[in-house]
């Protein structure tokens, strides 16, 4: 496998995630789009580390930190979404617009 293939995969994941985040109104679908974009960054980072400097451990640490941050962000996002849904029975972004105030 070549680095270009992994970067192409990351670009495709980023594009699909960006389309999903911008075209959907459901909060869960927007979060899934964001998760795809973060996964694209992780794939690109891991591939860059593997092909450019595999003998250094800092690339692995960066990937593990990115995965941990993504997991925490998604857990918090789904917790907030669940709380909003239970309190107001709202799962669309337009209906949750009163949270701005």
């Amino acid at each position: 496998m070549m680095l270009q293939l992994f970067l192409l995969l990351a670009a495709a994941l980023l594009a699909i995630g960006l389309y999903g985040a911008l075209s959907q109104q459901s909060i869960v679908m927007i979060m899934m789009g964001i998760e795809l974009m973060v996964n694209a960054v992780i794939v690109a980072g891991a591939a860059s580390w593997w092909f450019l400097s595999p003998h250094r451990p800092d690339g692995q640490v960066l990937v593990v930190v990115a995965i941990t941050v993504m997991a925490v962000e998604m857990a918090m996002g789904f917790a907030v979404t669940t709380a909003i849904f239970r309190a107001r029975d709202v799962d669309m972004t337009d209906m949750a617009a009163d949270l701005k105030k």
Side-chain angles (χ1 to χ4, degrees):
M1 302 277 301
M2 297 173 47
L3 177 62
Q4 290 82 9
L5 291 176
F6 285 105
L7 294 179
L8 185 64
L9 172 68
L13 284 175
L14 186 72
I16 292 170
L18 184 64
Y19 175 75
L22 294 178
S23 66
Q24 298 294 320
Q25 290 187 345
S26 172
I27 296 171
V28 174
M29 294 302 289
I30 291 171
M31 291 180 60
M32 289 177 67
I34 293 171
E35 188 171 349
L36 273 178
M37 289 190 284
V38 173
N39 281 330
V41 171
I42 290 171
V43 166
S48 297
W49 163 74
W50 180 260
F51 285 101
L52 299 179
S53 62
H55 56 280
R56 295 181 58 187
D58 53 351
Q60 288 178 337
V61 172
L62 183 64
V63 169
V64 169
V65 168
I67 289 172
T68 304
V69 168
M70 180 186 72
V72 169
E73 181 258 337
M74 285 298 142
M76 291 178 60
F78 281 117
V80 168
T81 303
T82 303
I84 291 172
F85 182 76
R86 286 183 180 170
R88 299 180 186 183
D89 199 24
V90 170
D91 65 342
M92 304 297 266
T93 56
D94 292 341
M95 292 183 237
D98 59 337
L99 295 174
K100 293 180 183 176
K101 300 176 185 172

